[in-house]
Amino acid sequence: MLSFGTHLTGLLASSIRQLLDFAWTQTRACAFAIALLSGVAVSTLLPGLPVARYDLLVAYGVLITLLFWLRGWETGRDIAVIAVCHVIGLAFELVKVSLGSWSYPEPAVLKFAGVPLYGGFLYAAVGSYVCRAWHLFDLELVRYRPRATAAVAAAIYLNFFTHHWLPDVRWPLAGLLVAVTAGTVVHFTVRGVRRRMPLALSFVLIGFFLWVAENLATYLGAWRYPYQLHGWQPVAVDKIGAWSLLISITVVLVAAAGRPGAARRRG
């Protein structure tokens, strides 16, 4: 009986260590996002400056990007992927802001059609997270279908534009995404132990934490939804689904950049 209790205690302690190490590695993967949101938070406390806050955040975003590259935390290939995420994000912002989905109410010089250039860094931060997680967890996609997944991810991205004029097909697309990723497993390492998770589940989990980050970002004034213009309110829960779909685009881009094991197949 004593031996069983000791064994159970050991298993519990090992599980807790695994969980803490997983959480710490995830925090390291989020380093760019944490640095960016910290800069947004600090910028709200600065006294009146001759430079607009949004413009200051553009310079800050460039600096932390250079820092991560120079320190070797991100490779040149990572920076290229992150830059693509930045451009895709800005295109997304231009359409959404023009349609009134949300806004950047503060003035800025580096602002086009209501969208400050720093807005792209919010998407770059997501790209940075996926790239760093790939390195830190030694990620590997098993039974990954690159072409089918990329096609559905592209359709998801387009639907976020076209649903303003055409029927919204995000639910059928969500079903397609589940279908094309059925059997696709993410293998990752925590404390030397190789673990796995369905790719579709990872999309949902990342979507949830992006929703949490979005609540923090809007609270800090990074941008505003129409219902937040006269006082902050929590971001609608349905945004979890939107982020869960959008993250597929980032994963497809990072996998296409030639990550080891990205297209590996097993029987």
Side-chain angles (χ1 to χ4, degrees), residues 154-173:
I156 287 169
Y157 180 72
L158 289 175
N159 181 70
F160 277 100
F161 296 123
T162 59
H163 82 86
H164 292 283
W165 306 283
L166 300 172
D168 188 352
V169 292
R170 74 180 63 190
W171 286 112
L173 287 172

Side-chain angles (χ1 to χ4, degrees), residues 211 214-215 218 225 227-228 232-239 243:
W211 172 74
E214 187 176 26
N215 274 280
T218 54
Y225 286 101
Y227 54 84
Q228 295 174 325
W232 183 81
Q233 297 179 46
V235 176
V237 177
D238 62 2
K239 295 294 183 182
W243 280 115

